[in-house]
Amino acid sequence: MLQTLKKVGMQKFLAFGALIIIYVFFAFTGKNFTSTATTLNILASSYYVGFLALGATFVIITGGIDLSLGALMMASALLGGALYRDMGFPLWLCMVIMVLFAMLVGLANGILVTKLKLPPFIATLGTMMIMLGLGSIITNTSSKYFPTILEPDGWFIRVFFKTKSGFPVGAVYLMVFFIITFIVLNKTKIGRYIFAIGNNEEAVRLSGIKVNLWKGMAYVITGLGVGLGSILYSATYIVVIPNTGNGIELQAIAAVVIGGTSLSGGVGSLTGTLIGVFIMSILKNGLISMSLPAPYQTFFTGIVVIGAVLMDVYRNKKANELKKIKA
Amino acid sequence: MKKAKRLLSVLLVLTMVVMLFAGCGTKEEETEYYSVIAKGFQHQFWQVVKKGSEQAAADLGVEIFFTGPEGESAIATQVDMINAELAKNPKAIALAALSTESVLSQLQEAADKGIPVIGFDSGVPNAPAGQISANASTDNENAAGLGAEHMYEAIKADIAAASVSSPVIVVILSQDATSASVTGRSKGFAEKMYALITADGQSAAITGDFAAITTGDVANSAVNVKIVVGATPDITDMTNAASGVLNTDNLLGVFCSNEGAVNGLLAAVNAGSTLGADVKVVGFDAGAGQKAAVRGGTFMGSITQDPFAIGYKAVELAVKAANGEAVSDVDTGAKWYDASNMDEPDIAQLLYD
């Protein structure tokens, strides 16, 4: 156990170091990179990925994966937009439904993986496609838009994106969600069981713990993150287009991996995930501040992901060698 | 180790706070920097727009950054880009927005910061009054009118020979009756053709799926200018619509108002519909299929927008607006191309594959 703790700690320090190095690099090379405006952009463009990644950390710690994150977030936003624009639902109700819908789909993922024993990769791949299709079906393949600042419900943007004076309120919600998930993962039974399942599912089962329940819970928590993420996404970007969103899950998963959570399960950290999210966001804004076109962002994110996982693999190997020597 | 963990959390929060306030004291440098944010990068169209804007930047001695999202549904990417560009305090921004609704906060912010915004290509449709200083875009009606002039020259004799008892028909094939560019082209072509025909003393009517411009009495006209819109913009529906058009008796000419209509017509011909040897076809925009059809003579010619001028004028307007000069919308023009001139360098660069 000490070994794993050390491992996570190490990865986090490395990730944190990388964050600082990347930030300093752009501070020197970027245009106005250290300005308040850019800093606010770094925070603002991390909102929705942050919620997705924090939620996904739970599933990934169980040794699972959720490929439906991006498509589900869009489907949930499209559903909210359709209810708001076409059915005239009040905005607050749309938001509640968006979160409940995403949690419900998370539950469905959980049932597919636990009760029906589908491999998480396949189960959530299927959900991803269903969500892409569903988003188009409920909106009749037309894009939906949330209230703009010119409409009476424009408070939505001020409350969930940034205030009129430019304060990034979304960052506050992200921190609150981080603190809550942090407590759940590190201080409660849910978290302990989720780690235990990721480490050795069979042992947990044999000790009489309801694996399906706790594992399913991880998927529901992920769904919660996605639902909240869809609200922040809608407030930030206003317009939601059907048949988009696949690819966003990979950003979220990349952030989780950069933060030191192992894709084979049992090891992980939300602090790391948050660092991962900011690394990606700094990369995104930094490369634009250097006036480099968008494809470079994807390119360099790929390099960071590979670098992060390489370090992880290398340290795992070292740790295993140490164990062998000791044994 | 627990201590280290806690320390790390504190450090993380601290960094975020420091980041929040880091910039407050930073001096922002003053350069002649302009942002040009396009709708995409993938089409050659945008590459030529970029060339035009870079030429303008070189001519005017300013620095520009031409950027755009990876595709036309990447709204989030474009919004992030606009935010990032605003943070760089450009002298002005030229913008082709993917969606007006998604950029309203950004337009407001630009207005608050005193950064003029110039629309280019499709610009920012229905933006709040005063937030877009001017647009550099193709006037679709004028552009399609140019096509009507060329087609009319070629079918003039047949039109003069037609009568109410043996009428002829000219069809405009369009993929929708909603988008501003396509409806503008349908209207521009139909009205120009109608004006040319009636100016020569022949009777004509405009009919079809676009009620707003229906004119004249088709039963008592020698020429029917008919607008046909596909059931959906999908290639299969456009192909069906095109087959129907090609089966029309006394068809003199077809104007395809965009690449979707062109591809529908070409697909219908490939699927066995006969394109009469005398039927004159005029297309719009470019693309590999259309270029081959023009080169091979299936099409008498096509209209292309001038993306180079769009990019050039966008930067020119941005610089003018930033220097406080009065600016107004600019028609960036359109060019006619056919087999005889399509390989000339200044035309060839406008024709994407």
Side-chain angles (χ1 to χ4, degrees):
Chain A
M1 202 63 194
L2 194 69
Q3 279 288 336
T4 45
L5 264 182
K6 253 188 194 153
K7 207 164 68 180
V8 181
M10 194 57 193
Q11 172 76 7
K12 268 191 298 186
F13 275 114
L14 285 173
F16 191 66
L19 181 117
I20 301 286
I21 290 168
I22 294 172
Y23 187 85
V24 170
F25 173 77
F26 286 125
F28 281 105
T29 55
K31 189 178 175 71
N32 283 351
F33 186 73
T34 54
S35 69
T36 321
T38 304
T39 310
L40 294 180
N41 287 338
I42 291 172
L43 293 172
S45 55
S46 66
Y47 294 165
Y48 68 97
V49 180
F51 278 91
L52 262 52
L54 288 174
T57 309
F58 284 77
V59 160
I60 294 175
I61 290 174
T62 67
I65 192 86
D66 192 342
L67 297 179
S68 67
L69 298 168
L72 174 57
M73 183 183 82
M74 287 303 188
S76 162
L78 285 166
L79 174 67
L83 290 174
Y84 178 72
R85 289 284 169 200
D86 305 338
M87 313 281 287
F89 277 40
L91 192 54
W92 65 267
L93 185 59
C94 295
M95 283 156 42
V96 173
I97 294 174
M98 282 157 77
V99 175
L100 290 179
F101 170 75
M103 288 175 77
L104 201 70
V105 176
L107 179 66
N109 276 335
I111 293 172
L112 287 173
V113 170
T114 56
K115 290 266 181 218
L116 303 177
K117 310 254 177 286
L118 280 175
F121 188 92
I122 305 296
T124 57
L125 182 70
T127 321
M128 174 185 104
M129 290 169 167
I130 293 173
M131 286 306 125
L132 278 179
L134 188 69
S136 299
I137 292 167
I138 50 183
T139 56
N140 204 5
T141 325
S142 64
S143 50
K144 291 288 164 228
Y145 63 100
F146 281 76
T148 65
I149 43 167
L150 303 177
E151 291 175 72
D153 277 340
W155 55 263
F156 179 61
I157 295 169
R158 301 300 178 212
V159 172
F160 290 104
F161 174 42
K162 53 182 174 188
T163 61
K164 206 164 167 50
S165 57
F167 183 79
V169 261
V172 176
Y173 299 118
L174 186 61
M175 283 321 285
V176 170
F177 188 63
F178 166 69
I179 291 165
I180 293 172
T181 48
F182 188 89
I183 292 169
V184 170
L185 185 66
N186 297 296
K187 306 282 174 209
T188 68
K189 203 157 74 172
I190 306 177
R192 275 200 302 282
Y193 288 157
I194 283 175
F195 271 115
I197 290 169
N199 264 321
N200 192 338
E201 190 172 331
E202 211 37 51
V204 178
R205 198 187 310 278
L206 290 175
S207 54
I209 291 159
K210 289 179 184 143
V211 168
N212 285 358
L213 175 72
W214 303 108
K215 211 173 170 185
M217 190 87 82
Y219 285 88
V220 176
I221 293 173
T222 302
L224 172 68
V226 174
L228 296 171
S230 75
I231 293 177
L232 278 275
Y233 181 92
S234 309
T236 309
Y237 301 109
I238 314 295
V239 177
V240 196
I241 300 186
N243 208 23
T244 58
N246 48 339
I248 293 177
E249 67 279 355
L250 300 181
Q251 290 180 39
I253 294 169
V256 176
V257 170
I258 292 172
T261 298
S262 161
L263 282 178
S264 44
V267 177
S269 131
L270 291 165
T271 319
T273 297
L274 203 58
I275 295 173
V277 168
F278 283 115
I279 286 184
M280 309 240 319
S281 191
I282 287 174
L283 264 180
K284 183 192 299 193
N285 285 280
L287 293 167
I288 302 181
S289 79
M290 285 178 74
S291 295
L292 283 174
Y296 286 87
Q297 180 201 326
T298 325
F299 181 89
F300 284 111
T301 310
I303 290 183
V304 171
V305 170
I306 290 178
V309 178
L310 268 183
M311 285 192 302
D312 194 39
V313 169
Y314 179 72
R315 265 196 329 277
N316 267 333
K317 219 170 131 191
K318 274 266 164 154
N320 285 340
E321 276 166 12
L322 273 177
K323 263 187 223 160
K324 270 181 207 153
I325 293 167
K326 274 182 191 162
Chain B
M1 211 54 216
K2 259 206 168 142
K3 233 181 200 170
K5 236 175 164 180
R6 201 163 298 151
L7 186 73
L8 190 70
S9 307
V10 172
L11 265 176
L12 181 66
V13 172
L14 261 177
T15 326
M16 280 179 63
V17 173
V18 171
M19 274 163 64
L20 256 174
F21 296 103
C24 295
T26 325
K27 244 194 183 165
E28 279 148 4
E29 43 181 324
E30 284 288 323
T31 44
E32 291 270 312
Y33 174 82
Y34 294 85
S35 311
V36 185
I37 304 166
K39 271 184 170 180
F41 248 110
Q42 291 166 330
H43 296 300
Q44 195 190 333
F45 180 87
W46 293 113
Q47 293 296 334
V48 181
V49 173
K50 182 176 182 217
K51 240 183 180 176
S53 61
E54 280 166 354
Q55 185 62 50
D59 290 352
L60 298 167
V62 298
E63 182 197 350
I64 62 159
F65 174 42
F66 187 100
T67 187
E70 63 272 22
E72 300 209 350
S73 60
I75 286 195
T77 314
Q78 197 191 40
V79 170
D80 286 342
M81 279 174 178
I82 300 171
N83 286 335
E85 288 307 317
L86 281 169
K88 290 197 228 168
N89 279 336
K91 299 270 283 181
I93 293 179
L95 174 64
L98 289 175
S99 150
T100 304
E101 286 83 11
S102 67
V103 300
L104 285 174
S105 316
Q106 285 72 23
L107 289 180
Q108 185 61 52
E109 194 182 329
D112 292 345
K113 287 174 108 174
I115 300 173
V117 179
I118 300 294
F120 67 101
D121 184 45
S122 52
V124 192
N126 306 319
Q131 294 193 340
I132 302 294
S133 307
N135 286 291
S137 54
T138 312
D139 184 319
N140 281 298
E141 292 190 29
N142 288 348
L146 180 63
E149 283 169 17
H150 280 270
M151 188 192 283
Y152 185 70
E153 280 306 311
I155 59 175
K156 213 162 143 182
D158 292 319
I159 284 186
S163 65
V164 177
S165 55
S166 83
V168 291
I169 186 162
V170 174
V171 170
I172 298 161
L173 182 62
S174 289
Q175 73 169 28
D176 65 67
T178 47
S179 88
S181 59
V182 170
T183 51
R185 289 171 198 170
S186 306
K187 184 168 186 276
F189 188 94
E191 289 180 344
K192 188 72 183 182
M193 185 57 87
Y194 181 83
L196 289 167
I197 294 167
T198 49
D200 282 347
Q202 185 59 284
S203 58
I206 302 174
T207 63
D209 297 334
F210 187 34
I213 52 164
T214 309
T215 314
D217 175 12
V218 69
N220 290 309
S221 297
V223 188
N224 179 7
V225 180
K226 186 179 179 189
I227 302 176
V228 175
V229 178
T232 77
D234 279 354
I235 180 75
T236 47
D237 284 318
M238 288 313 296
T239 308
N240 288 339
S243 312
V245 168
L246 293 175
N247 283 329
T248 315
D249 290 332
N250 304 317
L251 183 67
L252 284 188
V254 181
F255 171 60
C256 301
S257 62
N258 76 349
E259 206 186 337
V262 167
N263 290 337
L265 188 96
L266 293 176
V269 171
N270 282 337
S273 295
T274 331
L275 177 62
D278 301 336
V279 176
K280 304 293 180 201
V281 184
V282 171
F284 205 109
D285 287 340
Q290 178 161 207
K291 281 164 76 176
V294 171
R295 197 182 299 283
T298 316
F299 282 22
M300 64 174 288
S302 288
I303 302 292
T304 173
Q305 304 185 63
D306 190 346
F308 189 87
I310 293 175
Y312 194 96
K313 294 289 177 192
V315 171
E316 201 176 61
L317 283 175
V319 173
K320 277 187 181 166
N323 292 326
E325 289 178 45
V327 287
S328 55
D329 291 0
V330 175
D331 176 8
T332 50
K335 294 238 157 67
W336 168 263
Y337 70 96
D338 55 27
S340 71
N341 73 348
M342 65 189 294
D343 291 320
E344 289 168 16
D346 58 327
I347 295 288
Q349 73 160 353
L350 306 180
L351 306 179
Y352 58 87
D353 284 312

